[in-house]
Amino acid sequence: MARGSGGATGGSGGAAGSGGSGGSGGAATCKTALGKAIKFVGGNTVDSVAGDLGTDGPQGDDARTLELWAKFTSATSWEQEHTILELGVPPAQDNHNNVFGIDLSGRVDDNNGAFGPYVHGWSDNNGKDVKFAAPASAGWLHLSWAYDPTKEPNKRLEFTVNGDPIAVQFTQSEYDKTGGKLVLNKGYVLLGASQQFGPGGWDGVMDEVRIWKAYRTPQQIKDNMRVIVK
């Protein structure tokens, strides 16, 4: 897989996410000093960074949270079905819930965009009705996508922008097919693209990716999204 171009000016926030091996893309060594970020040149190009967290990542139906800072530089950063971040490995057959990621549902108008956080199956493609007020060149936004298996079925998924909850699509019929459980079978993480969804990669800048083996509440996200994790 292609390597995201390193060294863009970094956004706010703390250290990189929880343990696991580094990205596998490219031959160059990733720069880890504070103040750095990864720039992805997306569109029809798949420009991505991949890594395998192994057992350090959430497995099966475990609770989990993905969070990151994402810089939206223009309308191309909002292209529909282009994935920002994805966790998990799909099996050969479609079991609906083997990946967990954040993509876009496109621009609603000049002042609003739409996100599409997904679990392959019972949450996907929010659509233009669930919009977020932001110009195309919105700059840095903090995103989080979390799952809590102990909650009621239609309250298990939580998506936030800058720590504020944003509604997500929930499809009962697809949920019923899986028995209400996620099946994340490996700790594989892909930044800047999806393994099989969408027409290409994401266009923008990414920083401070954190992957948790726990459900992080919106308040925890808001309280810590600008704090350096040590």
Side-chain angles (χ1 to χ4, degrees):
M1 296 181 180
R3 177 182 180 274
S5 53
T9 302
S12 57
S18 59
S21 59
S24 61
T29 301
C30 293
K31 297 179 180 179
T32 58
L34 294 177
K36 301 296 181 180
I38 302 176
K39 182 178 181 181
F40 295 90
V41 181
N44 294 324
T45 300
V46 177
D47 188 13
S48 63
V49 174
D52 189 351
L53 302 178
T55 57
D56 285 342
Q59 304 289 305
D61 194 45
D62 292 346
R64 68 206 61 177
T65 303
L66 303 178
E67 61 172 306
L68 74 154
W69 285 93
K71 187 175 184 180
F72 294 77
T73 56
S74 67
T76 58
S77 296
W78 296 88
E79 288 186 358
Q80 188 168 345
E81 293 297 300
H82 288 223
T83 292
I84 299 173
L85 171 65
E86 184 177 271
L87 186 67
V89 179
Q93 71 276 20
D94 182 359
N95 286 335
H96 295 273
N97 56 1
N98 294 274
V99 289
F100 189 81
I102 302 171
D103 68 4
L104 286 307
S105 292
R107 295 296 299 170
V108 177
D109 51 43
D110 290 343
N111 298 310
N112 295 276
F115 294 95
Y118 60 89
V119 171
H120 187 196
W122 44 276
S123 174
D124 194 15
N125 299 333
N126 269 351
K128 302 299 177 66
D129 292 335
V130 183
K131 59 187 179 181
F132 178 77
S137 55
W140 288 100
L141 298 176
H142 186 276
L143 311 178
S144 78
W145 183 218
Y147 173 71
D148 183 351
T150 68
K151 290 188 174 184
E152 296 177 29
N154 61 349
K155 297 180 180 180
R156 293 181 179 181
L157 295 167
E158 188 86 69
F159 179 67
T160 71
V161 180
N162 295 335
D164 298 319
I166 303 294
V168 298
Q169 173 184 296
F170 178 84
T171 306
Q172 185 68 47
S173 60
E174 293 296 323
Y175 173 89
D176 290 342
K177 290 179 183 179
T178 69
K181 293 184 178 182
L182 300 188
V183 187
L184 199 66
N185 49 355
K186 288 187 179 179
Y188 185 86
V189 61
L190 184 62
L191 311 180
S194 169
Q195 298 169 73
Q196 62 182 32
F197 304 131
W202 180 63
D203 188 282
V205 185
M206 187 182 305
D207 201 6
E208 309 303 336
V209 176
R210 300 175 184 177
I211 299 172
W212 301 89
K213 296 171 65 174
Y215 168 74
R216 303 280 287 175
T217 68
Q219 191 61 54
Q220 287 175 316
I221 293 294
K222 181 166 284 190
D223 289 347
N224 293 281
M225 64 187 190
R226 292 184 174 86
V227 176
I228 295 175
V229 175
K230 296 182 179 179

